[in-house]
Amino acid sequence: MRLTRQPPATPEAAKEMEEKIRLTEITISLVLRIGVSVSVLVFIAGIVVMFVHHPSYASFSGSISYHGLTSGTTQFPHSFSALVTSLSKGQGRGIIVLGTMLLILTPILRVAVAIVSFSIEKDPAMTLVTIFVMAVLILSFLLAGL
Amino acid sequence: MTPLDFVISLGLISIVAGVLGSLIGLGGGVVIVPVLTLLYHVDIRLAIGASIVSVIATSSGAAAAYVREKMTNLRAGMFLEIATTTGAVSGAYLTTLLPTRFLFILFGVVLAYSAVATFQRRRTAAPLTVSHDRIANVLELHGEYYDEAEKREISYKVTGTKLGLFMMYIAGLVSALLGIGSGALKVPAMDLAMHLPMKVSTATSNFMIGVTAAASAGVYFTRGQIDPIISAPVAIGVLIGATVGSKVLGKITSHAVRIIFVVVLVVISLEMLQRGFF
């Protein structure tokens, strides 16, 4: 099996290859931009909902301290089922955790897009490289029990 | 301090973390962890979880611009991710086997050495014009980018892929073990071992740290280390900062990037040694 990319035979083919590579770069850039923008919107929504549900949190000089929300015993969703429960109750913290998941998914989606792009470019070596990275990522989530 | 004060002040500090992290390819964790533990007295486990979120935010926030401007070497980055993700997965399960204090000291020494070596390379950092590295040639890892500060196209060859891969594996391993951004070892691996230009090294490190962090994010999530009231302001602030930082990198000189990187590396090295000895 050939691992290297087929060298372009004509100047037209070389130009076409360059355009494909450029398209890969633009697609990956776009995926990252969309992932980041969507998660920011979800994060903002989550913060707003949290402060609406807990008006006492939303003052600049109240007696309520943030410490209760950032200690080792603070309760927040850390499994899929807890996340679903929290979201169904319309809790702000659930919405923020959803935003975090979208943020974590963004680089993974970027790897998936690269697999497709490299196989369209007919670049077997880089396609195998990105499939391997994807497999390790999936393994990491399976091992974490997700 | 009320929860509102906490969210606003942490969000503003995170903007600074995002700018710095995106410039030198380290992610925002360098700033976020000490700020959360020392200034806000947040539980260290939650601070490390927030650091993972900030690393992913810096990476994705700045990489969108770096990839489009060819500042990131996409092929080299993806190739090296083989080693960083494998390292991150193995590290997440070695945590309980190795004494953390010893690791902090070892890593502090390694970083101090990297800082000196990176600083010394400032005069010999001309890009390579030929490479006999078989892997780099077969996978076409060489590249070029337009340097806004020098106002010219810079093309470079890549070498030392095997040593680079090894260092990347260690980078992934320690990032999972110690919960620190793996960029601190990624940039020296690309700069010293593989001879990528400094700006390409930090932009490519920035591109890679998101995937490395994603490979250990699952564990941090299920262990309950990703606290929403911390992660929301950190993510939003860092994303804003990274967007600003990605516009700055092109304009400043490679020399300036190298000096900022070395200074931050010395600070992290001292932080690691302090955590190991005390």
Side-chain angles (χ1 to χ4, degrees), chain B:
Chain B
M1 195 183 251
T2 66
L4 183 64
D5 302 330
F6 175 77
V7 166
I8 293 172
S9 58
L10 183 58
L12 292 174
I13 295 172
S14 301
I15 295 179
V16 179
V19 173
L20 189 68
S22 60
L23 274 186
I24 53 177
L26 290 188
V30 188
V31 178
I32 296 296
V33 173
V35 161
L36 282 174
T37 52
L38 302 176
L39 202 65
Y40 292 103
H41 304 288
V42 163
D43 188 88
I44 180 76
R45 292 176 55 258
L46 299 181
I48 289 171
S51 161
I52 288 283
V53 171
S54 86
V55 168
I56 298 177
T58 323
S59 176
S60 300
Y66 291 158
V67 169
R68 216 184 35 231
E69 292 158 13
K70 289 179 180 285
M71 198 76 95
T72 297
N73 186 327
L74 210 61
R75 300 175 71 89
M78 291 191 174
F79 168 68
L80 294 169
E81 276 165 7
I82 291 178
T84 52
T85 48
T86 314
V89 172
S90 24
Y93 294 91
L94 283 176
T95 322
T96 47
L97 296 176
L98 293 163
T100 322
R101 288 176 69 116
F102 165 73
L103 281 172
F104 275 123
I105 296 169
L106 179 72
F107 193 57
V109 172
V110 170
L111 286 190
Y113 171 76
S114 312
V116 172
T118 308
F119 183 68
Q120 280 174 341
R121 215 177 108 75
R122 74 195 182 282
R123 299 196 195 287
T124 54
L128 288 184
T129 48
V130 259
S131 168
H132 301 292
D133 189 291
R134 232 182 120 246
I135 299 174
N137 287 331
V138 169
L139 291 178
E140 296 169 55
L141 303 184
H142 317 298
E144 55 183 18
Y145 76 102
Y146 179 74
D147 196 306
E148 256 185 275
E150 295 189 29
K151 301 218 180 312
R152 65 186 178 100
E153 195 82 13
I154 292 176
S155 68
Y156 56 90
K157 299 282 182 190
V158 176
T159 185
T161 46
K162 280 183 191 150
L163 180 60
L165 270 183
F166 172 74
M167 287 172 78
M168 290 294 173
Y169 178 79
I170 303 294
L173 194 72
V174 289
S175 84
L177 279 176
L178 302 179
I180 54 144
S182 53
L185 277 179
K186 285 192 173 93
V187 176
M190 285 184 273
D191 173 49
L192 302 170
M194 303 176 67
H195 287 224
L196 267 73
M198 190 62 188
K199 285 189 194 179
V200 177
S201 299
T202 63
T204 307
S205 167
N206 179 79
F207 176 74
M208 295 167 63
I209 52 176
V211 164
T212 318
S216 44
V219 184
Y220 286 104
F221 174 70
T222 48
R223 283 184 194 152
Q225 286 180 253
I226 299 183
D227 184 348
I229 198 164
I230 305 172
S231 53
V234 164
I236 295 171
V238 163
L239 284 170
I240 296 171
T243 311
V244 176
S246 65
K247 291 188 180 17
V248 177
L249 183 67
K251 296 184 178 65
I252 57 176
T253 63
S254 293
H255 183 74
V257 176
R258 183 179 297 278
I259 299 302
I260 302 172
F261 178 78
V262 168
V263 170
V264 175
L265 211 54
V266 169
V267 173
I268 310 174
S269 159
L270 292 175
E271 204 184 310
M272 294 291 122
L273 291 173
Q274 187 254 335
R275 279 165 81 175
F277 284 116
F278 302 104

Side-chain angles (χ1 to χ4, degrees), chain A residues 5 29 33 59 66 69 123, chain B residues 2 40 64 68 75 140 227:
Chain A
R5 240 179 346 192
S29 177
R33 205 167 288 268
S59 72
Y66 70 91
L69 299 168
D123 189 338
Chain B
T2 66
Y40 292 103
R68 216 184 35 231
R75 300 175 71 89
E140 296 169 55
D227 184 348

